[in-house]
Amino acid sequence: MKKFLNKKVNMFGKAVPVFAFVILGLALTSAALVPYISNVVTGTVSVEAPLELKISENNSTWVDDITFTAMHGGETLTLYTWLINNANNPINGVFTVVISNSINNVTCEDFTSVTFDGVDAISACHAGAVTGTIEFDGTTNLDSLESDYDTITATFALNVAPSTYTFTSAVEQP
Amino acid sequence: MKKKVTAVLVGILVIGLVSAGIVPWISNIVTGTVSVEGPVFYASGTHPLGGTDYWGLGINEYVERENPVSFTGSDPKFFISDKLGIDSFYAANYEISIEAESDNESGQIDARIYFIEGNNPYNRELDICSGSVGPVYNKNIYTINCNAEELTGIDPEWRLVLELSDGLNNIHYDIYIEGNTKIEVTAE
């Protein structure tokens, strides 16, 4: 091997050792050729929903998820929602509340009353997109940085089968 | 060449939009969860039928009464609810708790729960279940458990009745209306 590396080849009339060609080959390989002829710059942006929604059981502590104190059939659950438009333009949307339960059989008859800000809403109850759920919809229009507070009450029927009920709320595109 | 470059840029844009995860929501999603149990019917210091003959059977609530209500032997004491507004009820266990005392060590309370229509607790429309507990003597909370299959054909105008008595024994009983005399319903 040593003999081979010390061997010389004739290039343009001059004797060049094979060793020199090996070094040149290594240099070209490690240069990691790229197509760019400038440096590369990057910009990163976190895109969040323009509307921020929170829920509360006492109208003062606002969270994303909450577990209410257990209730009995015939009792009324009161929950509060707070919505703010963080975007720099007005936004119209559809405020939705979907109700499901742990035995997948919610119907509008599970409630004797549902109100939004004191206005009866039980007549607007309809089946949800998922079987065994129900849904309530309403429009919301908020200017930039405007907030909206809502009080929702739901009275369970006396004979509602015991289970765990989940109220899921969000704002959809109109 | 320009067309090829434009096509490539549009393709990249489309891929970008798809990978952005377009959703119908324009807000975050919030959830509230609540466990719903069966109702509790409390003996209550009210008179839902007017007069003073019958006491109330409050739905998930009660009005406390300072002095106990009494009955003797087979002269029953009735606790009656407001109209229930339901047409069926799931199969359930009914735990009847009675805070009571008697003037005889061999006291025994018979409890029965049923529906009535109108204002007369003697006109039973549909029996739910019944049971007995004893001996009842010192002031304590005495418990009876009974079960019923799913109840259908209930008229929304019907009321629930808790009847307490003691067969043929001429024993005096005091029933306390302080939140411990109640019927707790749990699904079977």
Side-chain angles (χ1 to χ4, degrees):
Chain A
M1 185 67 174
K2 195 174 176 183
K3 273 186 178 178
F4 174 72
L5 290 175
N6 287 332
K7 191 175 179 183
K8 294 184 179 177
V9 294
N10 189 2
M11 190 174 188
F12 306 121
K14 290 191 175 179
V16 179
V18 170
F19 176 74
F21 285 101
V22 171
I23 295 295
L24 179 61
L26 287 173
L28 284 174
T29 305
S30 63
L33 294 182
V34 294
Y36 310 121
I37 55 175
S38 79
N39 59 319
V40 178
V41 296
T42 59
T44 303
V45 61
S46 172
V47 180
E48 298 175 352
L51 300 181
E52 183 181 358
L53 182 61
K54 297 292 178 186
I55 189 170
S56 173
E57 63 178 336
N58 55 17
N59 208 12
S60 62
T61 303
W62 299 98
V63 294
D64 286 343
D65 300 293
I66 193 168
T67 300
F68 296 95
T69 305
M71 308 190 73
H72 299 281
E75 289 188 321
T76 300
L77 173 71
T78 300
L79 60 93
Y80 304 90
T81 59
W82 169 55
L83 183 66
I84 184 170
N85 177 8
N86 288 320
N88 59 5
N89 55 301
I91 291 181
N92 301 329
V94 178
F95 186 88
T96 67
V97 178
V98 176
I99 305 176
S100 59
N101 70 3
S102 55
I103 49 179
N104 303 314
N105 68 350
V106 181
T107 69
C108 296
E109 285 70 40
D110 286 7
F111 299 88
T112 56
S113 168
V114 175
T115 67
F116 285 76
D117 280 343
V119 178
D120 176 53
I122 195 71
S123 57
C125 175
H126 61 86
V130 176
T131 303
T133 68
I134 59 172
E135 186 172 330
F136 297 86
D137 308 313
T139 57
T140 184
N141 309 300
L142 291 179
D143 287 333
S144 176
L145 301 180
E146 184 183 1
S147 289
D148 183 35
Y149 293 86
D150 283 312
T151 303
I152 300 172
T153 68
T155 303
F156 291 94
L158 188 66
N159 58 346
V160 72
S163 68
T164 299
Y165 281 74
T166 301
F167 295 70
T168 303
S169 187
V171 180
E172 283 183 54
Q173 296 181 63
Chain B
M1 185 62 181
K2 276 186 178 177
K3 282 184 180 174
K4 280 186 179 176
V5 171
T6 304
V8 169
L9 288 176
V10 168
I12 290 172
L13 180 63
V14 168
I15 291 169
L17 283 175
V18 170
S19 62
I22 301 293
V23 294
W25 313 113
I26 53 177
S27 78
N28 57 311
I29 297 173
V30 298
T31 61
T33 303
V34 61
S35 173
V36 181
E37 301 164 355
V40 180
F41 298 91
Y42 291 93
S44 181
T46 57
H47 301 285
L49 300 184
T52 56
D53 290 342
Y54 311 127
W55 294 94
L57 192 59
I59 301 171
N60 298 317
E61 62 184 8
Y62 64 93
V63 174
E64 190 168 325
R65 180 175 159 78
E66 188 173 347
N67 299 315
V69 298
S70 303
F71 70 92
T72 300
S74 60
D75 184 19
K77 185 60 64 178
F78 297 101
F79 298 88
I80 303 174
S81 77
D82 288 329
K83 294 174 182 175
L84 298 177
I86 58 174
D87 57 12
S88 64
F89 207 88
Y90 48 85
N93 172 262
Y94 298 81
E95 182 176 290
I96 305 169
S97 300
I98 308 161
E99 186 171 19
E101 63 183 329
S102 77
D103 62 1
N104 190 303
E105 289 183 359
S106 60
Q108 172 181 298
I109 294 178
D110 299 330
R112 179 160 56 180
I113 50 180
Y114 53 90
F115 294 108
I116 60 166
E117 184 170 23
N119 297 337
N120 186 347
Y122 290 95
N123 288 339
R124 301 200 311 273
E125 289 286 346
L126 179 64
D127 288 335
I128 299 176
C129 63
S130 60
S132 299
V133 64
V136 174
Y137 183 49
N138 294 321
K139 182 181 179 185
N140 207 341
I141 299 171
Y142 299 91
T143 302
I144 298 167
N145 277 282
C146 59
N147 300 295
E149 296 299 315
E150 182 181 7
L151 303 169
T152 57
I154 300 171
D155 189 312
E157 297 287 308
W158 288 2
R159 301 170 187 269
L160 184 68
V161 177
L162 169 63
E163 177 193 301
L164 302 179
S165 67
D166 175 20
L168 301 174
N169 299 313
N170 192 30
I171 298 174
H172 178 90
Y173 296 87
D174 284 334
I175 307 297
Y176 291 86
I177 302 179
E178 299 172 345
N180 294 318
T181 300
K182 60 190 175 185
I183 304 168
E184 294 176 275
V185 185
T186 53
E188 279 200 312

